[in-house]
Amino acid sequence: MAYSFNGTNQALSVASAPATAAPLTLFLMLNPSSQAVCVPMSLRAATSDRFELDLGGASFPQAARFRSQSSSPAATGQPQILSVIAQNVWYAHTGVEESSTSRYVFYNTTKSTQNTTSVTPAAPTTLSIGARTTTSSLFPGLAAEAAVWNVALTDDEVTSLARGFKPFRVRPQSLQFYAPIVRELRDWRGGLTITNNNAATVADHPRVY
């Protein structure tokens, strides 16, 4: 079972960060129920510094984005793929931060152009799924298979995830966090505690292998 978020006040949160600097990879399976400029997954510091998967656009199909943001010096790197995200359809959203000057976003197996803005966010301290924080940029829809690696996955590895391979089958030695997001909220990799804020509910899970 996946988890369903109402886009108003529901999110999952982890009070620590499984990865804190480049290189890293964020991965999440998503199925948006309604249009919203929102953040389905975020690794963030106490400041505005963060790495996050974003959805953008005034209507469907929306843009798939990956954002790296720092406050000192102020900088934002945001690769995106426009007009790809449909309503009520599962897809794989992956952000790959190779270095402070190289990052990509993937929609399923489609890869963005490289973003080369120089960005070095402060070390994240928390992880959120379904929102940037429990009160901001909340995602409406279903989410499953959340994972974080402390390496930049290759194109072939991202393709494997998009085709349904479970994250623990992809570079397992570098996998720092993996939550299938089924009925039991559990980090299968690092044992981090996951909090369900405002009772997000279970829903049908996408097919994985």
Side-chain angles (χ1 to χ4, degrees):
M1 307 298 283
Y3 264 68
S4 177
F5 302 99
N6 60 16
T8 302
N9 65 354
Q10 294 174 334
L12 307 180
S13 58
V14 179
S16 58
T20 57
L24 57 80
T25 300
L26 303 183
F27 173 76
L28 192 62
M29 295 292 296
L30 294 171
N31 185 333
S33 60
S34 60
Q35 183 277 328
V37 178
C38 59
V39 176
M41 188 174 188
S42 182
L43 271 174
R44 69 187 189 281
T47 60
S48 60
D49 294 46
R50 55 190 181 260
F51 302 96
E52 62 189 22
L53 303 178
D54 290 4
L55 277 65
S59 61
F60 288 110
Q62 291 185 278
R65 298 172 175 166
F66 173 57
R67 177 181 297 163
S68 301
Q69 183 169 318
S70 64
S71 56
S72 182
T76 300
Q78 183 175 271
Q80 62 181 346
I81 305 171
L82 298 174
S83 302
V84 290
I85 299 172
Q87 186 177 19
N88 298 322
V89 175
W90 280 105
Y91 77 97
H93 197 145
T94 312
V96 177
E97 185 90 355
E98 295 183 326
S99 70
S100 61
T101 57
S102 178
R103 59 194 61 86
Y104 298 89
V105 67
F106 291 78
Y107 166 81
N108 291 330
T109 60
T110 300
K111 184 180 183 180
S112 72
T113 58
Q114 182 187 36
N115 176 273
T116 59
T117 304
S118 180
V119 186
T120 305
T125 56
T126 57
L127 170 67
S128 295
I129 301 166
R132 174 176 293 147
T133 71
T134 56
T135 59
S136 68
S137 299
L138 291 108
F139 165 71
L142 312 180
E145 299 296 308
V148 180
W149 290 259
N150 63 359
V151 295
L153 295 185
T154 66
D155 292 5
D156 286 345
E157 289 169 331
V158 172
T159 294
S160 295
L161 292 168
R163 290 179 175 171
F165 277 63
K166 292 182 179 180
F168 65 65
R169 299 180 64 186
V170 176
R171 202 90 70 97
Q173 69 275 20
S174 301
L175 182 63
Q176 302 301 299
F177 175 88
Y178 172 44
I181 314 182
V182 293
R183 287 183 182 274
E184 178 188 12
L185 285 175
R186 176 187 173 194
D187 170 18
W188 287 21
R189 185 59 180 175
L192 299 177
T193 299
I194 303 170
T195 300
N196 184 352
N197 298 279
N198 294 308
T201 56
V202 296
D204 289 340
H205 200 281
R207 181 177 295 178
V208 291
Y209 307 95

